[in-house]
Amino acid sequence: MKTTTKTTTKQVQKVIEATAEEFNVDPIDIVHPQGKTGRDISTARYVCAFLLRDMLPMDRIASLLGRRNNQYAYGAIDRVYARSQEDHSFFERVACLADRFGARWN
């Protein structure tokens, strides 16, 4: 059984803000259900899901990111892994954020 650590709202907010800054988007667009769309916003959203996967349960991640079910979080994490293998600059950006917030790669 996977355990999650107790996470404060402030920690989650820092992850969202840092990811938004890294991908040059507004943090509100990452979490708002009817937020703007676009490649950078959806990239930032799925990177947030990846970074938050050890902090929150999958259903909370999906809800936090304005998505309807926890399958979003699983798919988002898979997209980070797939894109990281294809795009080295993306990998470096995510790795920097992962190191900053203690996210694991496996």
Side-chain angles (χ1 to χ4, degrees):
M1 179 174 201
K2 184 176 173 180
T3 59
T4 55
T5 60
K6 185 174 180 181
T7 303
T8 65
T9 304
K10 197 169 232 139
Q11 289 170 310
V12 171
Q13 185 176 353
K14 285 180 183 179
V15 169
I16 293 168
E17 289 173 354
T19 305
E21 183 178 329
E22 179 66 34
F23 291 95
N24 199 28
V25 299
D26 188 343
I28 298 297
D29 291 332
I30 293 174
V31 298
H32 196 279
Q34 281 82 37
K36 296 177 187 173
T37 59
R39 182 180 172 126
D40 292 339
I41 294 168
S42 52
T43 298
R45 192 176 288 127
Y46 66 72
V47 169
C48 278
F50 174 81
L51 296 171
L52 294 170
R53 74 189 187 286
D54 289 331
M55 297 180 191
L56 298 171
M58 292 297 181
D59 59 335
R60 292 263 328 269
I61 293 170
S63 176
L64 174 72
L65 299 177
R67 298 303 172 249
R68 294 182 184 191
N69 64 38
N70 65 345
Q71 293 305 311
Y72 173 81
Y74 291 109
I77 292 164
D78 289 343
R79 282 192 294 280
V80 170
Y81 285 126
R83 186 164 171 196
S84 293
Q85 291 177 345
E86 299 168 0
D87 184 347
H88 186 70
S89 65
F90 175 78
F91 170 79
E92 288 178 339
R93 294 168 84 180
V94 176
C96 181
L97 288 167
D99 288 344
R100 181 173 170 186
F101 297 107
R104 62 184 167 77
W105 275 98
N106 49 359

